[in-house]
Every structure is written in C-alpha cells, then in structure tokens.
Amino acid sequence: MKLITHNMLTSNILKGVTRGFPLKIKADKMEHISVDYNRDFIARIIPRIEYDALRAAVNDLGLNESLPEAMSETLQQDDEFLKTMHKVLLEYEVEEGELICPETGRKFPISKGIPNMLLQETEVS
Amino acid sequence: MNDQNKSQPDVLEQIYVHDVYNRLKSTTLTQDTTAWPNVRRFLNRISSQTKNALVADVGCGTGKYVKLKSDLFTIGCDRSNQLCEIVRDRYSHIPIIIADNLHLPYRDNLFDAVLSIGVIHHLATHQRRVKAIQECLRILKPNGGQLLIYTWAMEQKQRKFCSQDVLVPCIDHQTRSDIILDKNSWSSSLNMRENLLRRIEQANSQTTKFSMIESIQNLFQRFVKQTSSTPSTPILSHHDRLAFRIRPFPMSSYDDDEQINTNPYNKRYYHVFKHGELEMLIEEASKLIVGSKIIKSYYDHGNWCAIVQKDI
C-alpha cells in the first residue's frame, strides 16, 4: 500500500464513525521501490492530497522524510518539495501491517500490500 | 426488518458471487483479458480531458483496466481477496484494496472517473444496486467527474433468460471444446427475487449454510430452452468468449466440502438488466447524490451501459 492510497482511505463506513480519517498505520514490513518521477502528476495530485494526513502517515511510519509543516503555493512549484512528495506518495510500500480507525480502533489488516477494508454486517453504518 | 432478514441477500451474494470468485482457479479468472473497446474509449476521453486523472475501478476483477492507460492513476478494488492478490501478482505494486462496493472506504468527491464494469449485476436486491451506484457517485469529483457502468443485459441474441435473477455456470477454458451454445443449452432461473428471499426465510430454521444452498437450488425447477433459431455454431458474444456457458443446471446436493471443491460448475448469481432499468436505478441513486445526470446510455455486446456525470 502506497501512501497516496492511504490518503484516500477512510473508515467512516463503520457504524458511528463520523470522519474516520486519517487512518493510523502500523507497518510490520515496508519496502521502498523506485517509481519514475512525473512532475506533472505530482503537481496535479497535490491539491487532492490531505496534507496533514500525509504528514501523520510519514510520522506513523517513522520515515526519514522532511515535509514542511504547512503547504503553500510557492512550495507547490518547488522541485525539491515535489520530488519529496513523489517519493513519499508513490515509493514507500507497506507490505504487511494494519490500518487503524482513529475513532474506534478497529484494525484493517494489510497483507501482501493489500489493505482489507471489508466489514462485518454488524459493523456497517 | 430484523437483522436476520436483512442479511439474506448477503448470504446469496456470499455463496454465489464472493465464494465463487475466491474458489475459481486463477487460470480460469485470468482468461478474461480483453478490454472492452468502449471502456477503453471512455478512459481515453477521460485522460484527454484531465491529464493524469485519478480513477477508481470498483470491482476491478483481474485488473485489466487498472493498467490500461499509463497516463491515468488508477486504484482498483474488489470484494474478492483472491482477485486482489492476482492483480497484485500481475502488476507489481499496483494500488489495490479489498473493499465492498456497498461501503467504499474512499473519501467523498475524489475521483475524476469511476469504473463499474460488470459489478452491479452481482447484487441481489434493488436497494443494494441503488446503494452501489450511490457509493460510486459519492466518491466522484464534482464539476465533471464521470462514472461508467456496465451491467449484463437480459436481452441477448444468444440466450434467453426466463427471469432476471439467474445463476450462470462458468467453466474453465480447458474444456472450451464444448463451450458452444446449442439448442440443448439451457438457462436456469430463479422465479423472482422476492420468491427466493421468501424461500430463504423458510429455510432459516435450518442453520447451516449448506442446507440453505439446497433450499435455493430447489427453486431451479423451470428451465428455459434456448430459442430454436439459435444456430448450432453461433458467433460467440464477448461473455461467451469469457467462458460462460449455459447448460442444464446440475441439481446435485452439496453435502460436504469435498463435493463443493470438485464441482466443476461454479455458478455465479446475476441480476440481468432489462432495457431502461439501469437508467431508472441511476435516477433513484441520483436523488441522494444530487447533481448527477446520465449523459449517455447504450447497449454494448449484451450489456446495458451508462455514463453518469456529477455536475455539482
């Protein structure tokens, strides 16, 4: 699971959960893979990224990547920053671990890089 | 409605959709590699309108659309963990999650396009099909996000369904020599959805899954013969090429696990759509997700299809 995927996911499908975002990440096994840098893509995707959630994910995983505290317009044109965003969003892969609902603590397992977001019938909203 | 009743379409989908996809051999599943030309066209249009568009393939199966266009960022999801693993094995590090169309774990208003290809017809009630479309619309980006839906049509040249709720066996390509539909082919059918649910309710006194399967199977007493005009060597439709076959429904009982595993006929539940039904469903779903409208609906090789745009 890439962090761009994590950034899209919410657990508000659970009964009683209002926001369910961002999900906490617990990683048991991680990989770093190399992905071709596409400046256009990163620049276009940034407005759709929940930046604080991304920073929380970087923190959860203990990645040695420095993301500035706040996003700005100038930053979005900054090549250094865009390259860091590329790496953080696309190159780190959580292979084994779990996603945790911030409101209920419900755990969603990640196995072979695939988060399992299925719910029991009794859990759905 | 009590909880037990509420879970009945679930049970049907679990047995006749999810369990089947998780049980089929991966070689059988990956036979289906041909991308529909009109789905490709839709994605081409999306990418020409929005560079590096974000796409969700809901019910991505073996992932044939996930990597179709390199200039789109597509995230796949499927209800079947086996299918997700196949996709991940085929395309290393592809973004994919195991999720249910009825409860998509995505943020609202996110995707430039959503694909729903051959998914909604696996849901067993009207309400669930509406909900599935609602979920796809919810995650769509306002101001022009587009959803493409494909559902299997009741109106087909090669076969005749006597009901909209059917169990369709699928077979392995290794036995493709007898895949041809001929006048001895049959279609098996459920009477009516309501009837089915009533029977399941009656069967509720029996607690095990397998006694419930038998109860569903007892409903399959009416078979419809292929129309006599069907040529003995018809041109195979897309779905036929995907190795579906309609033939006499084996009335075998499922007494133990071994029989289930060795049964060559893994039957999948379909609700086949009548002309106009998909549009009606979309309109109902649009009542809750405002600002969505159908911009095109069409028939494509045995499927009813629609493109829905979210404007607000």
Side-chain angles (χ1 to χ4, degrees):
Chain A
M1 182 201 67
K2 297 178 194 298
L3 292 192
I4 189 174
T5 305
H6 166 261
N7 205 269
M8 298 174 187
L9 297 179
T10 160
S11 58
N12 67 2
I13 48 176
L14 284 165
K15 203 192 292 180
V17 171
T18 50
R19 189 147 185 262
F21 185 86
L23 295 160
K24 290 196 196 90
I25 314 176
K26 184 176 160 285
D28 296 324
K29 187 182 163 209
M30 282 199 55
E31 275 178 27
H32 179 259
I33 56 147
S34 169
V35 176
D36 291 342
Y37 177 57
N38 178 345
R39 189 186 191 278
D40 270 5
F41 174 70
I42 295 300
R44 278 168 204 276
I45 201 77
I46 282 177
R48 293 203 223 169
I49 296 297
E50 290 283 341
Y51 188 66
D52 290 343
L54 185 66
R55 292 189 73 232
V58 166
N59 188 48
D60 282 351
L61 298 179
L63 301 181
N64 187 23
E65 301 290 347
S66 66
L67 288 178
E69 222 168 276
M71 172 77 74
S72 69
E73 296 239 336
T74 37
L75 213 48
Q76 289 186 38
Q77 305 299 321
D78 184 278
D79 273 314
E80 192 92 356
F81 175 69
L82 292 177
K83 278 183 184 156
T84 308
M85 285 296 276
H86 164 83
K87 192 175 172 195
V88 169
L89 286 169
L90 300 175
E91 296 197 334
Y92 289 106
E93 291 273 353
V94 179
E95 289 295 314
E96 304 290 330
E98 53 200 23
L99 295 170
I100 304 155
C101 170
E103 292 169 44
T104 63
R106 160 66 146 95
K107 290 170 180 165
F108 299 93
I110 303 169
S111 169
K112 298 175 189 165
I114 310 167
N116 184 338
M117 304 301 291
L118 296 182
L119 305 177
Q120 300 293 322
E121 185 72 5
T122 51
E123 295 178 296
V124 299
S125 53
Chain B
M1 200 186 263
N2 65 34
D3 280 350
Q4 200 176 25
N5 286 343
K6 222 163 68 182
S7 68
Q8 284 160 7
D10 270 47
V11 175
L12 175 73
E13 290 161 16
Q14 186 65 48
I15 297 168
Y16 283 112
V17 181
H18 312 319
D19 287 353
V20 179
Y21 280 111
N22 281 334
R23 193 168 56 226
L24 283 175
K25 278 188 264 163
S26 63
T27 49
T28 308
L29 291 164
T30 50
Q31 285 162 176
D32 165 20
T33 52
T34 330
W36 290 87
N38 282 324
V39 177
R40 189 190 290 269
R41 261 176 227 128
F42 172 81
L43 291 174
N44 285 343
R45 201 165 44 72
I46 294 295
S47 76
S48 67
Q49 283 167 359
T50 314
K51 231 181 142 196
N52 298 308
L54 209 53
V55 180
D57 188 350
V58 175
C60 66
T62 53
K64 63 181 170 182
Y65 299 113
V66 177
K67 272 266 171 145
L68 195 60
K69 289 188 64 63
S70 57
D71 54 344
L72 296 173
F73 187 87
T74 306
I75 173 163
C77 74
D78 204 281
R79 180 72 174 64
S80 154
N81 56 311
Q82 187 188 213
L83 283 169
C84 288
E85 283 176 26
I86 288 171
V87 177
R88 189 86 183 172
D89 287 344
R90 284 175 99 186
Y91 314 107
S92 156
H93 298 106
I94 195 103
I96 188 154
I97 63 168
I98 304 168
D100 188 335
N101 193 165
L102 296 174
H103 313 283
L104 291 176
Y106 297 122
R107 290 196 265 127
D108 299 350
N109 307 324
L110 196 59
F111 296 98
D112 297 295
V114 174
L115 292 181
S116 168
I117 311 298
V119 180
I120 288 163
H121 56 213
H122 284 312
L123 293 163
T125 68
H126 175 82
Q127 287 83 352
R128 290 166 78 81
R129 294 187 284 272
V130 171
K131 168 87 191 218
I133 296 175
Q134 272 169 7
E135 278 291 90
C136 291
L137 291 173
R138 176 184 64 78
I139 63 170
L140 209 56
K141 201 168 163 257
N143 303 316
Q146 292 194 350
L147 160 67
L148 175 64
I149 307 176
Y150 266 63
T151 54
W152 215 14
M154 180 149 188
E155 299 85 351
Q156 308 234 359
K157 279 186 194 144
Q158 308 296 343
R159 60 172 72 81
K160 197 171 172 183
F161 300 109
C162 76
S163 154
Q164 283 189 265
D165 295 282
V166 290
L167 293 186
V168 180
C170 65
I171 54 149
D172 201 287
H173 247 210
Q174 269 119 42
T175 49
R176 79 186 285 175
S177 57
D178 55 5
I179 193 176
I180 293 165
L181 294 168
D182 59 31
K183 60 183 176 183
N184 294 320
S185 299
W186 302 73
S187 169
S188 55
S189 155
L190 293 175
N191 234 345
M192 290 282 285
R193 180 181 67 247
E194 290 76 15
N195 192 4
L196 166 78
L197 295 179
R198 206 176 309 126
R199 297 295 184 95
I200 295 176
E201 210 166 330
Q202 285 165 8
N204 266 350
S205 53
Q206 301 156 303
T207 48
T208 72
K209 236 184 183 182
F210 298 127
S211 56
M212 196 170 289
I213 295 181
E214 284 171 22
S215 153
I216 295 167
Q217 292 205 336
N218 288 336
L219 290 169
F220 288 78
Q221 285 161 9
R222 286 200 299 143
F223 297 128
V224 163
K225 212 163 185 177
Q226 285 295 118
T227 47
S228 55
S229 62
T230 305
S232 59
T233 314
I235 299 158
L236 294 180
S237 74
H238 184 79
H239 268 94
D240 300 325
R241 279 189 272 110
L242 303 187
F244 290 119
R245 181 170 55 161
I246 295 185
R247 57 161 9 227
F249 186 81
M251 298 296 282
S252 55
S253 63
Y254 292 80
D255 292 320
D256 53 53
D257 285 350
E258 199 186 313
Q259 252 181 300
I260 288 217
N261 292 333
T262 54
N263 190 322
Y265 302 104
N266 277 307
K267 294 165 293 289
R268 277 177 282 190
Y269 167 82
Y270 285 82
H271 172 83
V272 288
F273 279 64
K274 281 186 181 166
H275 185 201
E277 185 179 350
L278 179 59
E279 289 88 335
M280 233 173 56
L281 214 59
I282 292 166
E283 272 161 34
E284 201 173 327
S286 305
K287 281 179 193 154
L288 268 158
I289 311 289
V290 288
S292 306
K293 63 163 195 277
I294 299 168
I295 58 169
K296 189 181 175 188
S297 56
Y298 58 100
Y299 183 86
D300 187 4
H301 295 82
N303 291 272
W304 290 114
C305 320
I307 299 173
V308 193
Q309 183 165 300
K310 188 171 174 183
D311 288 324
I312 312 168

